[in-house]
Amino acid sequence: MLHGIPGTEQNFDVAYALRDAGFNCLLWHYRGCWGSEGSYSINGLPDDIDAAFRWFRSQAHVDEERLIVVGHSLGGYHALRLASESAHEVGVKLLGAVALCPLVATDLAGVPLDAGLAKDFAKMLTDVTPELLQTQWSGLVPVRQMLTDDNNKVHSERKMPLLIMTGDEDPLFSPAYYTNHLDAPLKEARVCAKFDSTWVRLPYGDHALCRYRRTVVKRVVKFALKCAGQDVPIDVFRIGRELLSWQGLFDTVPMALITVIVAGFVGGRFCATPEGQQAYLEQKQEMDRNRMDATRSPKFI
């Protein structure tokens, strides 16, 4: 799991869900943030990530041939970087990569690191100035260049699965930003030959996809299981909801109205009016008298 800068959204819910699905999941922090020793540096993140992968792969219970990376924002940028390297058979071998609201281009795409944000970030990080953050941010290689770089002609015969999830109301990265700087290069023929990408746009999602956390968790877990070659559990409740919602007949509001009408008919026999109530009481009294008469003078056959 790779968090962003400074990493206020760390996707614990995704990590716990992956753990519950049977995955070993490493939640960690880069140098100089959230209590980790050392000085923070955007340029130093690749080294930090490599060190984390080396430690993780050295654990006895981890299968280093079946690794998946999940990253958010700046972490999503590095998830795409690692996926690109793996697709060219360089660096860590991955089964797939997930990028949540990833950074994909900076100053050249009209998305420099805002001075106010840089100042706020620097307060939460160790031994780094806002100006240095802005400089290192602007120097990041665009994801488009990573994906389309053909200097290394060797690439895996297996397409690298990518899951990209973004929010249309993200205040940092707009839908047009992703369309131009991520979706467009992913559709190029030479890139399609190396990557099997899925872009999920969430219409009311912000940068942390707050309104869609359940969707994010389900999508990521399903993607990870598929990459690992495991069966995806059948969601019986989801299937039931879809069946009941056939052609909208049993959608929530119509279903509620139908339930009220049926309950009123069966339970009250349309006794909402005084006349209806009186008719229902008279019928009930007559039935009670019949039962009493039957118990007092039973007929033997």
Side-chain angles (χ1 to χ4, degrees):
M1 300 286 295
L2 308 178
H3 65 70
I5 176 174
T8 50
E9 174 54 65
Q10 299 180 23
N11 295 285
F12 285 103
D13 51 353
V14 175
Y16 290 142
L18 288 170
R19 178 202 62 186
D20 293 343
F23 292 91
N24 297 300
C25 191
L26 176 62
L27 272 171
W28 62 288
H29 306 299
Y30 313 119
R31 283 178 294 177
C33 64
W34 303 107
S36 292
E37 296 180 354
S39 301
Y40 184 88
S41 168
I42 291 177
N43 291 346
L45 295 188
D47 291 337
D48 295 352
I49 294 169
D50 288 345
F53 265 106
R54 284 196 301 272
W55 180 87
F56 189 60
R57 294 164 67 188
S58 69
Q59 304 307 301
H61 52 280
V62 172
D63 185 350
E64 60 179 312
E65 297 296 320
R66 305 175 70 200
L67 299 175
I68 298 168
V69 62
V70 180
H72 172 252
S73 193
L74 181 56
Y77 170 88
H78 284 288
L80 293 172
R81 174 183 65 82
L82 292 168
S84 179
E85 292 177 355
S86 180
H88 292 95
E89 298 189 346
V90 176
V92 178
K93 182 179 178 181
L94 297 176
L95 290 181
V98 179
L100 307 175
C101 300
L103 168 72
V104 296
T106 58
D107 293 43
L108 294 178
V111 187
L113 181 57
D114 177 76
L117 281 178
K119 185 176 180 180
D120 291 339
F121 292 168
K123 292 178 181 178
M124 292 182 272
L125 303 170
T126 304
D127 296 335
V128 67
T129 63
E131 294 75 20
L132 182 57
L133 289 177
Q134 289 178 297
T135 300
Q136 294 183 346
W137 174 283
S138 65
L140 291 171
V141 177
V143 169
R144 174 191 290 270
Q145 183 176 330
M146 297 180 194
L147 298 176
T148 59
D149 186 4
D150 289 331
N151 290 334
N152 185 350
K153 300 297 182 180
V154 178
H155 63 85
S156 173
E157 294 181 359
R158 170 182 170 273
K159 285 188 176 183
M160 172 63 62
L162 296 178
L163 174 61
I164 300 154
M165 302 187 72
T166 64
D168 286 358
E169 293 187 357
D170 188 334
L172 299 180
F173 308 134
S174 68
Y177 169 81
Y178 287 116
T179 299
N180 296 330
H181 301 286
L182 182 58
D183 188 51
L186 282 172
K187 289 180 178 178
E188 294 183 17
R190 55 179 174 171
V191 177
C192 287
K194 297 179 285 187
F195 299 95
D196 179 13
S197 63
T198 301
W199 179 19
V200 179
R201 288 178 57 176
L202 301 173
Y204 303 106
D206 57 9
H207 191 58
L209 303 176
C210 293
R211 295 187 181 182
Y212 297 94
R213 294 312 302 180
R214 289 185 179 180
T215 300
V216 171
V217 168
K218 289 180 180 179
R219 282 275 192 167
V220 173
V221 171
K222 183 178 179 180
F223 174 83
L225 289 170
K226 185 177 179 181
C227 289
Q230 299 182 28
D231 294 331
V232 178
I234 299 175
D235 190 340
V236 177
F237 294 103
R238 179 185 62 79
I239 295 174
R241 288 194 301 270
E242 290 179 356
L243 290 175
L244 290 175
S245 297
W246 180 71
Q247 293 187 350
L249 180 60
F250 292 103
D251 284 346
T252 305
V253 174
M255 189 60 182
L257 292 175
I258 292 171
T259 302
V260 170
I261 292 172
V262 172
F265 176 78
V266 175
R269 300 295 179 88
F270 293 110
C271 60
T273 63
E275 294 80 6
Q277 292 177 356
Q278 183 62 32
Y280 175 72
L281 289 174
E282 291 176 356
Q283 184 181 12
K284 185 175 183 299
Q285 290 171 359
E286 183 179 358
M287 293 177 63
D288 291 339
R289 285 196 299 269
N290 292 337
R291 281 195 295 269
M292 291 296 295
D293 293 340
T295 57
R296 289 173 181 172
S297 56
K299 297 180 180 179
F300 297 93
I301 299 176

